[in-house]
Amino acid sequence: MPLKKIKEYVEHYSLKDDAHCYALLDAHREAIEQRISELSATAEIIRYKLKHFQEIRDGRQMEEKEFED
């Protein structure tokens, strides 16, 4: 959570503004879950590329040899 939001949270906490504190935490949770989703999708793409890296590399080498012949 950015320092600005932490400061806002602390201020509202000291005022016993539970609704505002809850809203800040919930918004932060939502942002974190969105980021996790984006990172998971990126990780899945990287796993796919790693799994097929050798095949892709070998295929590219085969195409280069075909052009040389």
Side-chain angles (χ1 to χ4, degrees):
M1 182 180 284
L3 288 176
K4 184 178 177 180
K5 290 292 182 182
I6 293 171
K7 183 180 178 203
E8 183 180 348
Y9 179 88
V10 170
E11 288 171 359
H12 286 273
Y13 182 82
S14 67
L15 296 172
K16 299 190 186 324
D17 186 353
D18 294 340
H20 195 87
C21 291
Y22 182 91
L24 284 170
L25 289 174
D26 194 41
H28 185 59
R29 176 204 48 81
E30 191 174 292
I32 294 293
E33 288 177 354
Q34 178 63 36
R35 185 70 176 133
I36 289 169
S37 177
E38 292 166 0
L39 289 171
S40 292
T42 301
E44 185 62 35
I45 291 167
I46 293 169
R47 277 192 290 276
Y48 172 83
K49 287 181 177 185
L50 287 169
K51 182 177 179 183
H52 298 288
F53 181 81
Q54 194 64 42
E55 294 170 14
I56 293 167
R57 186 172 155 244
D58 290 347
R60 203 174 317 133
Q61 288 176 349
M62 292 282 278
E63 290 173 11
E64 289 172 3
K65 287 181 183 179
E66 290 172 5
F67 285 118
E68 292 174 0
D69 292 334

